[in-house]
Amino acid sequence: MFVVRPAELADIPALESLARLASSGVHTLPRTTENLQRAVERSLASFAAQVEIQSEEAYMFVLQDQRDHSLVGSSTIFATAGTNGTYFAFRNDVVQQVSRDLNISHSVHALTLCSELTAYSQLSSFFIRDNKHAGNEAALLSRARLLFAAIAPQRFGDRFFVSLAGISDDKGQSPFWDALGRKFFQMDFLDAESAVEGARNRTLIVELMPHYPVYVPLLPTSAQAALGQIHPEGELPFSLLQAEGFEADEYIDIFDGGPILQAHRDSLRTIQHAQRYRVESGSVAGHEGDSYLVGNTREQGFRAIVTHGSLHGDALLLTSADLQALDVAAGEEVICVKL
């Protein structure tokens, strides 16, 4: 049994342990105690806020193993990507080159620095301890954020995106960064990541990054091959997000060239198929019930689990242990998606 819930200050030591397990390629997970504390405090304030229009809120969740109460993962959703600034990305463009005198016309792939994702809501910081062997708990950690967005739509935008880590080696060297970003920042990839603290909205980005289109054919072959490619640790979240309805190709990360996936909220499976039911307590054998992603409907004290349940009219039958994990009583309302 796993449960997703909002992060608390008491979780910081466990989150530090998780951060130490993450590779250098996972650049959206806070690493230091100070940054983790800042992220958790911001999240607590966001959950407590009475929000009518999305703003600078950030909601941090943890995945807890109910057997020993250990934390095995974390994820975040930002109400607006461009908090305290503008979110920068490279947009994949096609530049048409035409010479009438030579009767030549061809298309050139170019990258243009843009801020079009600024008003989008952003899924971020997905990390799970046992990435290679994760099962339903990985889907729970990823999709619980969208289940929360389904119960509190006023807190988020109409469009969502996710930036996945791009290709880098064991030493943190990125072929895309070496070919482009290093020329402007004059520092190693990991040093640059540290300088911006994983953010993509710092003023120094627009101060240093090229303002004119970058012609992809002028980049080394290794950098071109890295465009839109995923770091090995990003394969699990990529598969989950793709199944959810996210699509890639239009934007890439400005540092490592990793893919940026985007979707309209109405096309996301969790939000599109979420339904509300009255919950009742009873015995549900695994082979008798269907598998559901289930959450309570509270903006403060949100909880979500994946479990077996059985529908009886307008009621969803769950075990007493499930009700306890969700912190709901029989007769209360839950929101769920059939898996």
Side-chain angles (χ1 to χ4, degrees):
M1 170 71 73
F2 295 88
V3 63
V4 165
R5 59 168 176 80
E8 302 169 353
L9 289 174
D11 297 325
I12 291 177
L15 289 169
E16 285 183 281
S17 298
L18 285 177
R20 284 194 291 268
L21 297 175
S23 75
S24 57
V26 182
H27 53 64
T28 57
L29 185 66
R31 305 275 180 166
T32 67
T33 301
E34 294 77 16
N35 287 343
L36 281 169
Q37 181 165 344
R38 189 156 52 240
V40 173
E41 289 176 345
R42 179 182 175 188
S43 176
L44 290 170
S46 298
F47 277 107
Q50 298 298 317
V51 176
E52 295 182 1
I53 300 176
Q54 64 180 116
S55 183
E56 299 184 354
E57 297 81 29
Y59 307 91
M60 186 176 188
F61 298 91
V62 294
L63 177 67
Q64 186 171 46
D65 189 332
Q66 292 293 83
R67 293 168 296 187
D68 59 8
H69 301 290
S70 62
L71 297 191
V72 296
S74 70
S75 62
T76 300
I77 179 169
F78 292 92
T80 303
T83 304
N84 296 324
T86 302
Y87 189 95
F88 297 105
F90 276 133
R91 184 181 64 239
N92 284 306
D93 287 332
V94 175
V95 177
Q96 300 292 336
Q97 303 280 31
V98 178
S99 172
R100 291 185 176 87
D101 292 338
L102 298 177
N103 195 29
I104 295 176
S105 175
H106 62 90
S107 302
V108 179
H109 182 189
L111 303 175
T112 305
L113 189 68
C114 71
S115 59
E116 295 159 8
L117 299 172
T118 296
Y120 287 31
S121 294
Q122 180 188 9
L123 303 185
S124 179
S125 307
F126 177 93
F127 181 76
I128 192 166
R129 188 171 61 193
D130 194 2
N131 191 307
K132 294 182 179 180
H133 302 99
N136 283 337
E137 68 272 20
L140 168 62
L141 179 60
S142 180
R143 298 181 67 182
R145 297 172 292 186
L146 295 173
L147 199 63
F148 180 73
I151 69 169
Q154 77 282 3
R155 292 179 180 265
F156 304 98
D158 291 333
R159 299 195 66 88
F160 293 79
F161 80 91
V162 188
S163 179
L164 296 178
I167 296 297
S168 61
D169 62 22
D170 293 339
K171 297 181 180 178
Q173 298 299 310
S174 161
F176 182 76
W177 174 261
D178 289 341
L180 186 57
R182 180 191 290 273
K183 304 294 192 301
F184 297 90
F185 275 70
Q186 298 184 350
M187 61 180 71
D188 289 338
F189 174 61
L190 295 182
D191 292 335
E193 279 286 0
S194 177
V196 301
E197 298 178 344
R200 295 297 185 271
N201 58 7
R202 293 289 296 276
T203 302
L204 59 86
I205 291 176
V206 75
E207 290 174 342
L208 296 177
M209 278 295 189
H211 293 188
Y212 296 97
V214 175
Y215 286 76
V216 173
L218 297 179
L219 297 176
T221 303
S222 59
Q224 295 184 46
L227 291 178
Q229 299 303 304
I230 306 168
H231 189 279
E233 288 197 14
E235 292 177 2
L236 173 62
F238 175 76
S239 63
L240 293 170
L241 293 164
Q242 197 172 44
E244 184 66 41
F246 282 90
E247 297 179 347
D249 291 341
E250 190 170 356
Y251 303 95
I252 63 169
D253 184 75
I254 58 175
F255 276 15
D256 58 23
I260 294 178
L261 287 64
Q262 57 169 323
H264 193 280
R265 63 173 292 120
D266 293 339
S267 67
L268 294 174
R269 182 182 167 200
T270 296
I271 293 176
Q272 186 180 45
H273 297 293
Q275 297 187 42
R276 296 184 181 230
Y277 292 98
R278 175 173 50 84
V279 69
E280 295 294 346
S281 178
S283 176
V284 182
H287 63 279
E288 294 178 356
D290 294 312
S291 185
Y292 289 92
L293 167 66
V294 189
N296 65 30
T297 57
R298 293 195 293 274
E299 295 183 29
Q300 288 81 37
F302 176 75
R303 300 285 188 277
I305 62 173
V306 167
T307 188
H308 284 87
S310 180
L311 279 177
H312 295 273
D314 64 346
L316 178 66
L317 187 66
L318 299 177
T319 66
S320 57
D322 290 337
L323 269 60
Q324 184 177 3
L326 290 168
D327 191 25
V328 297
E332 291 188 40
E333 187 179 63
V334 296
I335 188 167
C336 68
V337 180
K338 186 176 179 181
L339 300 180

